[in-house]
Amino acid sequence: MGDRPGPLDYLRRWWLRGWILAVVVFLYAPIVCLVVFSFNDSRRNIVWQGFTLDYYGRALRNASLIEAFTNSLVVALVATVLSTIIGALLALALWRFRFTGRSAVEAGSALPIVIPEICMGVALLVFFTRVGWPTGLVWPLNLSSVIFSHVAFAFPFVTVVVRARMEGFDRSLDEASKDLGASEWQTFWNVTLPYMKPGLIAGGLLAMTLSLDDFVITFFTSGPETLTFPVKVYSMVRFGATPEVNAASTVLIVVTILLTIIAIRLQSPAKQEG
């Protein structure tokens, strides 16, 4: 009888639930409103006038918007591949080897994660300006500065994910493979890499999500002829949040959520067994 919760315990429990609900509403209500009003049959987009898909059709027929989305996909795909390769190699080096300056390398690789994006954007802008990086080349070479900028801030996230995955690796498997006559490369390809695979996919999807969503760094490092999807949406928002802007933003939100869900599922314990 003495262990039964009293009225004060119930009050605390409901207060905590109410607080969590308020936080969730505060964080996600704007996103829900954006998605809902992307179907609003009203150009002013202030009062709900009815359901329509017209603005999704307008977004699909908007040539500059499609071009910006294509640019974002190209940047995201190339940056994901490069970030995954660099991040995985760095994660392996930090996990397997002990060398002088290892702590400094580890801290330096984490720097893009912790510094504000605005600072990194300015730093990359200054760097590209100083070295005379070309920004007016033909497509897709005009995206090179944006691609390398995305690689610079995305590969540390891949490193964190892959290294976390490798912490559970049994090093005796490598030794057993070598004892059976496998070379260093064969051991890596047949033993280490299959174990890394979930971390590589999850890290790559995380890098792609970051690249697709990025605005600040892209805004600073893109040339005058370069336009990505977030930058295009920003230019549209300056003239008012129309349903067409909401529709374009909803598409990006859906793509981002799908990639995030896939990354989370690939990192779940059930996917990482063996």
Side-chain angles (χ1 to χ4, degrees):
M1 296 292 293
D3 294 335
R4 293 181 60 183
L8 186 59
D9 293 322
Y10 284 113
L11 181 62
R12 290 173 179 172
R13 186 179 304 171
W14 283 107
W15 179 87
L16 180 60
R17 291 176 179 175
W19 177 255
I20 294 174
L21 178 62
V23 172
V24 171
V25 171
F26 177 79
L27 292 176
Y28 296 106
I31 299 176
V32 174
C33 289
L34 182 146
V35 174
V36 170
F37 274 87
S38 69
F39 301 100
N40 186 20
D41 190 12
S42 172
R43 185 64 186 174
R44 293 178 61 85
N45 203 30
I46 299 175
V47 180
W48 179 264
Q49 298 291 335
F51 180 87
T52 182
L53 294 174
D54 290 346
Y55 291 100
Y56 282 90
R58 293 187 186 184
L60 291 175
R61 293 190 297 269
N62 190 324
S64 62
L65 191 61
I66 296 300
E67 179 186 359
F69 190 72
T70 302
N71 288 340
S72 286
L73 287 179
V74 172
V75 170
L77 289 173
V78 177
T80 297
V81 172
L82 296 177
S83 298
T84 303
I85 294 173
I86 297 173
L89 292 176
L90 180 59
L92 276 177
L94 294 174
W95 168 73
R96 174 170 289 182
F97 303 108
R98 299 292 183 269
F99 53 88
T100 304
R102 179 174 175 270
S103 298
V105 173
E106 190 171 3
S109 65
L111 198 59
I113 299 177
V114 298
I115 64 174
E117 268 195 287
I118 186 72
C119 296
M120 190 164 184
V122 173
L124 288 167
L125 173 63
V126 173
F127 171 77
F128 288 132
T129 302
R130 291 288 296 175
V131 300
W133 194 277
T135 58
L137 300 176
V138 296
W139 190 91
L141 295 179
N142 60 337
L143 301 173
S144 59
S145 60
V146 180
I147 291 172
F148 287 114
S149 299
H150 285 200
V151 171
F153 79 83
F155 84 86
F157 291 91
V158 180
T159 299
V160 170
V161 174
V162 174
R163 190 178 179 188
R165 170 66 176 169
M166 294 307 298
E167 289 298 327
F169 182 72
D170 187 357
R171 294 174 183 262
S172 63
L173 296 176
D174 276 351
E175 298 174 1
S177 175
K178 294 174 183 178
D179 289 341
L180 293 173
S183 64
E184 191 75 33
W185 171 251
Q186 289 174 326
T187 299
F188 171 77
W189 187 258
N190 296 312
V191 179
T192 308
L193 187 60
Y195 188 87
M196 289 175 58
K197 187 177 179 180
L200 290 173
I201 297 176
L205 289 173
L206 179 58
M208 178 173 285
T209 301
L210 293 170
S211 178
L212 282 174
D213 288 351
D214 182 74
F215 167 76
V216 176
I217 293 178
T218 305
F219 185 79
F220 278 96
T221 58
S222 58
E225 294 87 10
T226 305
L227 198 64
T228 61
F229 194 71
V231 176
K232 175 62 178 178
V233 170
Y234 170 75
S235 66
M236 295 169 67
V237 168
R238 289 188 301 171
F239 299 100
T242 65
E244 187 177 355
V245 174
N246 293 345
S249 302
T250 300
V251 171
L252 184 59
I253 289 173
V254 171
V255 172
T256 302
I257 290 176
L258 289 176
L259 291 175
T260 304
I261 291 174
I262 295 173
I264 292 174
R265 288 184 62 85
L266 288 172
Q267 289 183 282
S268 63
K271 295 290 183 181
Q272 296 186 15
E273 290 180 358

